[in-house]
Amino acid sequence: MDIMKTKFFADFLNVTEDGVGLGWHERNGGNLSYRLSPDDVDEIRDQLLPKSEWLEIDASVPDLKNEYFLITGSGKFFRNISIQPEENCGIIQVDEAGERYRICWGLLNGARPTSELPTHLLNHEVKKRVSSGRNRVIYHAHTTNIIALTFVLPLDSRVITRYLWEMSTECAVVFPDGVGIVPWMVPGGRSIGVESSKLMEKFDIVIWAHHGTFCAGSTFDEAFGLMHTAEKSAEILIKVFSTQRKIQQTITPQDFRDLAEHFHVVLPEEFLYDRD
Ligand code: 2HA
Ligand code: ZN
C-alpha cells in the first residue's frame, strides 16, 4: 500500500489541515507525530528504506527502540504539508538504544524532523507506558486563546484547569485529569522535553506558557479533539474576561461532582476547591 494512501496518513493530513484552518499554525508553528502500529509498518514495509545516517535525538528514549514515527519537518509550514507531503513530513525510525534516529521515508531535500523532536519522543515514551501502548499521537499547536491566558492567569495547573472546566460543561468530561503547565522555557531541546514529559505522566494536555499546547491521544481524533476543546474553552474565557463584567454564576464544585457521577469520570478533588 502506498504510504500516502493509508488511513493513518489521511488522518495525519486531516489534523494538519484542520489546525491550519483554526489559525494555530502560523508560519512553521506547531508539529505533529504518530507512532506507527505493527500493522501500519507491515502495510508499508517495502517503502521504508534508510535515507539518512543515524542522527542524534538529543534525548534518550529506550522504550521506543526500533519504533517508527510519522512526523512533521523542522521549519516546514503546516499549510504546505498536504500539498507536498514528502517534502514537509516523513517517517523516522528510532535505533536499538533509543538514542538516535534515521529517516526512512519523506523529509526530502535534506529536511529534518521538527525541532521539537525531543519533546515528541519523550512524550511518546511516557504515554506509551502509562497507556499500555494505546497512545499513538502527540500534537503541538499555537493555540491563540490558551497562549493569551498564560499572560493573565497564574501558571498553576489547579487554577487554569478549573477555569477551563468552568467555561464549557463538556471540558471536565473530555479532560478529567486537568491540564499541566510548563513555565516559559527555551523551546526546541531536551530540557523543555523532559519537563513536558514529566507532566505527561499525569495529563493529556500540557500548556507551554507564552507558546502553545501539547496534546496526546490514542487516535488523531482524540488528540485533535482535546486541543480543540481546551482551546474553545480558553476562547470563551477570554470573551468573558473581555466583557469586564463580574461573573454572576458559573459551574460550582458540587455541579462538577454531579457531572462526574453522571458521566462516570473521576474528577480529582484538588480541582474542586472553593473559590472566594
Ligand atoms: O515547529 O512550533 O515549538 C515550530 C514550533 C516550535
Ligand atoms: Zn511551537
Side-chain angles (χ1 to χ4, degrees):
M1 168 85 96
D2 180 343
I3 289 175
M4 290 193 279
K5 294 209 166 83
T6 60
K7 165 106 167 62
F8 72 84
F9 202 84
D11 290 346
F12 185 91
L13 296 187
N14 203 13
V15 168
T16 64
E17 289 180 341
D18 285 353
V20 168
L22 287 158
W24 300 341
H25 299 291
E26 76 290 343
R27 204 171 182 280
N28 62 321
N31 22 79
L32 175 65
S33 63
Y34 169 72
R35 184 168 59 86
L36 274 68
S37 71
D39 285 348
D40 294 330
V41 176
D42 283 345
E43 203 175 30
I44 60 165
R45 195 177 294 279
D46 57 327
Q47 298 150 78
L48 296 174
L49 306 168
K51 298 273 172 43
S52 73
E53 300 299 299
W54 289 106
L55 303 159
E56 296 298 325
I57 293 172
D58 189 23
S60 188
V61 287
D63 290 348
L64 298 180
K65 68 174 182 183
N66 303 324
E67 296 254 21
Y68 290 92
F69 295 86
L70 174 59
I71 190 161
T72 53
S74 176
K76 302 300 184 186
F77 291 22
F78 260 47
R79 60 189 293 274
N80 294 332
I81 296 176
S82 59
I83 302 167
Q84 292 186 300
E86 288 172 275
E87 280 81 353
N88 293 292
C89 67
I91 295 177
I92 61 168
Q93 184 186 23
V94 173
D95 73 358
E96 183 67 35
E99 302 283 341
R100 298 187 296 170
Y101 71 92
R102 63 183 174 189
I103 296 166
C104 297
W105 179 86
L107 292 170
L108 297 181
N109 310 317
R112 291 283 179 260
T114 170
S115 57
E116 305 297 357
L117 180 66
T119 298
H120 276 261
L121 294 185
L122 288 163
N123 286 347
H124 274 293
E125 189 181 46
V126 167
K127 283 301 184 194
K128 182 183 170 188
R129 171 168 46 79
V130 300
S131 71
S132 307
R134 284 183 67 250
N135 194 95
R136 297 202 171 271
V137 180
I138 299 290
Y139 177 35
H140 169 55
H142 291 178
T143 43
T144 316
N145 294 282
I146 289 175
I147 296 169
L149 288 178
T150 65
F151 292 90
V152 295
L153 290 179
L155 298 178
D156 177 339
S157 164
R158 290 172 76 236
V159 173
I160 295 183
T161 296
R162 177 66 175 276
Y163 267 118
L164 293 178
W165 281 3
E166 282 183 44
M167 289 305 111
S168 200
T169 296
E170 69 184 316
C171 284
V173 178
V174 174
F175 50 96
D177 298 327
V179 301
I181 318 286
V182 177
W184 189 87
M185 290 180 73
V186 175
R190 192 163 61 90
S191 306
I192 196 167
V194 169
E195 291 311 307
S196 304
S197 63
K198 282 185 201 159
L199 293 169
M200 283 284 176
E201 298 270 350
K202 179 171 171 191
F203 304 107
D204 292 326
I205 302 177
V206 172
I207 294 169
W208 281 5
H210 323 322
H211 183 141
T213 308
F214 272 82
C215 289
S218 58
T219 62
F220 289 98
D221 274 350
E222 247 185 47
F224 188 85
L226 277 175
M227 192 75 80
H228 204 180
T229 306
E231 169 61 9
K232 170 84 183 272
S233 207
E235 181 181 352
I236 296 168
L237 186 53
I238 291 290
K239 288 183 196 294
V240 169
F241 285 161
S242 302
T243 65
Q244 298 191 327
R245 293 179 65 99
K246 187 170 174 297
I247 292 178
Q248 302 283 331
Q249 54 276 318
T250 183
I251 305 171
T252 67
Q254 188 52 49
D255 292 338
F256 283 119
R257 291 185 191 103
D258 295 345
L259 191 72
E261 194 181 325
H262 186 80
F263 285 95
H264 309 292
V265 294
V266 176
L267 297 180
E269 279 293 320
E270 66 173 305
F271 298 121
L272 301 181
Y273 50 87
D274 287 321
R275 202 188 274 128
D276 24 60

